[in-house]
């Protein structure tokens, strides 16, 4: 564990910070309970895909990480069950091998996670959150654990999507836009410097830091993410059979796995259908396309005569206010996300139609930059200038390099505690099971796509 300089404490008192941390932890646990109580023990212990862990592994891993960082790291207590640390070390055992481990059975995993949580809440009540160690300054360790649990909740929701069988999760439909037809296809983002990253967001993770100035030439970016209907046109135009549009590794992936469409899509009686959390339904033309790899997003962008935005372009479109020159926390301002601004927190089990959430638009009018779908960028996952690993190298540093591509913006499966204008996600360019989509961009001198 390494230490970094303490984050400047925001204008919040200790009790406000404590209540914020408590709310984040309780919200995460409520969602974990929903995702694990909605299936029986056989489903909890089954591996629904070699890409994912059994749900019961995620459940006990959540408790183990909370014990590691809050009970041991913050409070200095002895390990409750040191013999299970290795079982729930994500780096020690790849997902495909986890079903063969002597994992805690469901009842024991629930009991362990609950006992850890009870002790953790006692620690939160008694810990000074201002002027203490960097690990707990502004409640960082508690916020980190809430984010960690919500990230695993998103992972478990992916597992729910991969499982076979009838639907076990329900949610209301997302709102529909009222002005989508009148929106411009793209928005021009002026060139110039902007502040990328953060040095003041109290619960920001190490790869979001430090704030630094980037010079970004002017560019155009799609007003909304690419829709299923637009992606269908790519398919019908032979997108998956034309090598011209694909990076070499992507073309090899298409041929090896005989890909013809996004994951979970299939053709029936001349119509594209998809499976979504146990329900088969027509692919909605106006919804952002989902479950596409970086290679598929890149191929579509090439086919359309455009490209994926760089990570810096994406963040400038999402955060830069051209009137004030400052970078906002979110596209709409500094206020926390709300249901009127973004599709987050598993409130809905699908993206909203393209053009939704007018209240969440950026200063220049770009929509749905936060929530709905993770958006692939063209950028490799690399450290910012002045990066310092905190509180451990394995969170970000070991993943830096060209093997992983950056995704930004969050999805409907991401909670507000783990989503902000500076938040960085990353994954291998072959990944399709994640809730990933994209939008395209172009240079100022490049013609608009077809």
């Amino acid at each position: 564990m390494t230490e970094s300089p303490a984050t400047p404490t925001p204008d919040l008192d200790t009790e406000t910070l404590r209540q914020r941390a408590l709310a984040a932890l309780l919200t995460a646990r409520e969602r974990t309970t929903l995702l694990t109580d909605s299936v029986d023990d056989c489903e909890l212990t089954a591996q629904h895909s070699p890409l994912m862990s059994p749900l019961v592994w995620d459940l006990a891993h959540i408790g183990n990480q909370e014990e590691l960082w809050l009970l041991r790291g913050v409070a200095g207590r002895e390990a409750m069950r040191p013999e299970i640390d290795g079982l729930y070390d994500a780096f020690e055992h790849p997902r495909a091998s986890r079903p063969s481990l002597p994992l805690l059975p469901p009842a024991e995993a629930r009991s362990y996670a609950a006992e850890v949580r009870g002790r953790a809440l006692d620690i939160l009540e008694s810990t000074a959150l201002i002027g203490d160690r960097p690990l707990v300054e502004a409640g960082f360790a508690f916020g980190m654990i809430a984010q960690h649990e919500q990230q695993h909740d998103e992972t478990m929701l992916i597992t729910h999507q991969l499982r076979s069988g009838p639907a076990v999760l329900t949610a209301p439909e997302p709102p529909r836009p009222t002005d989508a037809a009148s929106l411009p296809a793209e928005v021009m983002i002026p060139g110039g410097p902007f502040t990328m990253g953060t040095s003041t967001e109290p619960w920001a993770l190490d790869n979001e830091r430090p704030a630094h100035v980037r010079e970004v030439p002017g560019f155009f970016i799609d007003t909304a993410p690419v829709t299923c209907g637009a992606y269908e046109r790519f398919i019908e135009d032979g997108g998956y059979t034309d090598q011209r549009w694909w990076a070499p590794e992507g073309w090899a992936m298409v041929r090896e796995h005989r890909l013809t469409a996004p994951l979970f899509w299939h053709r029936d009686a001349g119509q594209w259908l998809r499976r979504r959390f146990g329900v088969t339904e027509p692919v909605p033309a106006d919804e952002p396309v989902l479950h596409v790899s970086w290679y598929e997003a890149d191929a579509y962008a090439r086919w359309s005569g455009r490209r994926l935005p760089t990570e810096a372009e994406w963040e400038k479109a999402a955060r830069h206010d051209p009137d004030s020159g400052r970078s906002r926390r979110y596209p709409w301002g500094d206020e926390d996300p709300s249901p009127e601004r973004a599709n987050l927190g598993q409130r809905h089990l699908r993206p909203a139609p393209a053009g939704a959430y007018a209240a969440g638009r950026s200063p220049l009018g770009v929509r749905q930059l936060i929530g709905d779908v993770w958006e692939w960028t063209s950028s490799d996952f690399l450290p910012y200038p002045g990066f310092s690993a905190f509180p451990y190298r394995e969170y970000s540093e070991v993943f830096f390099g060209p093997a992983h591509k950056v995704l930004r913006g969050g999805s409907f499966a991401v909670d507000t505690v783990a989503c902000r204008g500076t938040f960085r996600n990353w994954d291998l360019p072959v990944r399709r099971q994640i809730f990933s989509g994209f939008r395209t961009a172009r240079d100022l001198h490049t013609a608009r796509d077809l």
Side-chain angles (χ1 to χ4, degrees):
M1 185 187 304
T2 59
E3 296 282 324
S4 72
T7 301
T9 302
D11 189 19
L12 295 173
D13 58 41
T14 300
E15 188 55 32
T16 300
L17 287 167
R18 203 181 315 280
Q19 291 304 313
R20 181 188 179 202
L22 175 63
L25 289 168
L26 295 179
T27 297
R29 188 52 50 89
E30 181 179 358
R31 186 178 176 197
T32 299
T33 301
L34 169 66
L35 290 165
T36 52
D37 284 2
S38 58
V39 292
D40 60 25
D41 285 2
C42 290
E43 296 251 40
L44 281 176
T45 56
Q47 186 171 47
H48 298 282
S49 165
L51 295 172
M52 311 304 291
S53 308
L55 291 168
V56 74
W57 185 92
D58 288 286
L59 175 59
H61 171 78
I62 286 168
N64 187 247
Q65 287 293 295
E66 188 165 331
E67 183 198 347
L68 176 65
W69 289 103
L70 300 186
L71 275 60
R72 303 185 211 174
V74 172
R77 297 185 181 179
E78 292 294 321
M80 290 171 54
R81 300 191 61 172
E83 75 280 3
I84 69 171
D85 286 354
L87 297 177
Y88 298 103
D89 185 332
F91 286 89
E92 190 170 333
H93 302 286
R95 288 175 175 174
S97 69
R98 289 171 189 170
S100 64
L101 300 174
L103 303 176
L104 299 183
E108 196 171 348
R110 287 189 178 98
S111 176
Y112 169 64
E115 185 175 358
V116 170
R117 173 52 56 89
R119 298 184 187 190
L121 294 183
D122 290 341
I123 292 167
L124 173 61
E125 184 63 31
S126 61
T127 300
L129 304 180
I130 295 177
D132 208 314
R133 294 168 292 156
L135 185 62
V136 293
E137 177 67 29
F140 175 80
F142 300 94
M144 179 183 73
I145 286 301
Q147 291 179 82
H148 174 266
E149 182 163 353
Q150 287 285 6
Q151 287 170 320
H152 275 272
D153 288 341
E154 182 181 8
T155 297
M156 289 194 286
L157 190 62
I158 293 170
T159 302
H160 272 269
Q161 168 65 3
L162 287 163
R163 63 176 284 274
S164 59
V168 297
L169 300 173
T170 60
E173 293 296 294
R176 299 192 63 84
T178 58
D179 60 349
S182 64
L183 294 175
E186 61 183 353
V187 172
M188 195 272 282
I189 309 298
F194 90 105
T195 300
M196 187 172 184
T198 180
S199 296
T200 58
E201 187 73 32
W203 293 355
L205 304 171
D206 59 5
N207 61 64
E208 301 172 63
R209 304 171 183 270
H212 59 288
V213 175
R214 289 280 183 99
E215 184 75 29
V216 178
F219 64 99
F220 286 94
I221 192 166
D222 291 338
T223 301
V226 170
T227 64
C228 295
Y231 199 85
E232 280 186 40
R233 292 193 288 275
F234 167 64
I235 297 172
E236 300 304 330
D237 196 44
Y240 281 86
T241 60
D242 194 332
Q243 186 176 357
R244 287 181 298 164
W245 312 127
W246 297 84
E249 299 85 356
W251 183 243
M253 179 186 73
V254 167
R255 292 176 63 82
E256 178 183 355
H257 299 286
R258 299 181 181 180
L259 303 183
T260 60
L263 187 61
F264 305 116
W265 287 30
H266 69 277
R267 192 84 164 169
D268 184 56
Q271 181 183 29
W272 283 108
L273 303 176
R274 72 176 182 187
R275 183 169 57 82
R276 182 177 61 86
F277 298 111
V279 175
T280 298
E281 61 189 11
V283 170
D286 61 352
E287 190 174 290
V289 68
L290 195 62
H291 297 301
V292 289
S293 68
W294 183 91
Y295 290 125
E296 290 166 293
D298 178 63
Y300 173 95
R302 296 186 195 209
W303 168 81
S304 67
R306 295 166 69 82
R307 59 178 175 80
L308 296 179
T310 67
E311 183 182 12
E313 287 174 334
W314 188 97
E315 188 168 325
K316 184 171 186 181
R319 299 185 62 216
H320 182 66
D321 183 347
D323 291 336
S324 67
R326 63 179 289 269
S327 289
R328 300 171 166 191
R329 293 180 68 210
Y330 301 97
W332 56 82
D334 295 337
E335 303 85 5
D336 289 338
S338 66
E340 297 76 32
R341 292 176 173 135
N343 183 4
L344 293 166
Q346 203 180 310
R347 186 179 300 111
H348 311 290
L349 284 171
R350 64 194 303 165
Y357 297 102
R361 65 186 180 274
S362 75
L364 292 172
V366 188
R367 298 200 183 184
Q368 293 170 285
L369 286 158
I370 296 293
D372 287 303
V373 295
W374 283 109
E375 298 184 17
W376 288 110
T377 72
S378 64
S379 300
D380 297 337
F381 184 48
L382 299 172
Y384 289 161
F387 168 83
S388 177
F390 177 78
Y392 60 109
R393 290 185 62 250
E394 289 77 13
Y395 182 74
S396 302
E397 188 174 351
V398 297
F399 296 101
F400 289 147
H404 294 87
K405 294 293 186 180
V406 174
L407 303 102
R408 299 298 297 264
S411 73
F412 66 88
V414 176
D415 187 75
T416 57
V417 76
C419 190
R420 48 195 163 263
T422 58
F423 193 93
R424 307 172 76 194
N425 190 11
W426 65 95
D427 215 325
L428 299 171
V430 299
R431 290 287 183 248
R432 307 205 309 156
Q433 81 275 19
I434 60 178
F435 299 114
S436 53
F438 64 100
R439 72 180 75 214
T440 66
R442 67 179 174 96
D443 299 338
L444 292 184
H445 63 271
T446 304
R448 172 69 200 179
D449 59 301
L450 301 176

